[in-house]
Amino acid sequence: MTVRQPHPIEIRSYEILRSRVDLSPMPPLWRAVTERMIHATADLEYAVDLVTSEDSLERGWDALRAGAPIVVAAAAVNALLYAETGRP
């Protein structure tokens, strides 16, 4: 698996996010998903509103790594996923 190199704007966005909300008590995957949602939406409320479990996220991550399909409802999301993964 290749590791994507983030754009400098994305790096700065995460720096700002982390200066405004402390997600360090969250388990690693939960924190990563929450940070990504906040980054994508600019809505800090996800820090307290998101309900999930590390076990569920681990099973989902394992399924994706094993090649499980990604189903999306929007053409733009599909295009982005294809650009990132090479898979429609």
Side-chain angles (χ1 to χ4, degrees):
M1 176 190 325
T2 59
V3 176
R4 182 180 67 84
Q5 295 302 313
H7 189 280
I9 292 171
E10 183 179 355
I11 293 170
R12 181 64 183 135
S13 175
Y14 278 86
E15 289 171 351
I16 293 168
L17 179 159
R18 291 173 183 141
S19 76
R20 295 188 178 169
V21 62
D22 180 14
L23 302 177
S24 63
M26 290 180 171
L29 289 176
W30 192 333
R31 182 174 56 248
V33 168
T34 304
E35 285 183 338
R36 189 65 175 170
M37 291 175 71
I38 292 171
H39 166 74
T41 64
D43 185 351
L44 294 174
E45 292 301 312
Y46 280 112
V48 293
D49 291 343
L50 181 64
V51 177
T52 189
S53 73
E54 194 73 357
D55 182 57
S56 296
L57 294 170
E58 286 173 0
R59 284 184 280 131
W61 183 239
D62 289 343
L64 290 171
R65 284 190 297 213
I70 299 171
V71 180
V72 297
V77 173
N78 188 47
L80 175 63
L81 289 172
Y82 181 76
E84 292 285 330
T85 67
R87 296 186 305 165

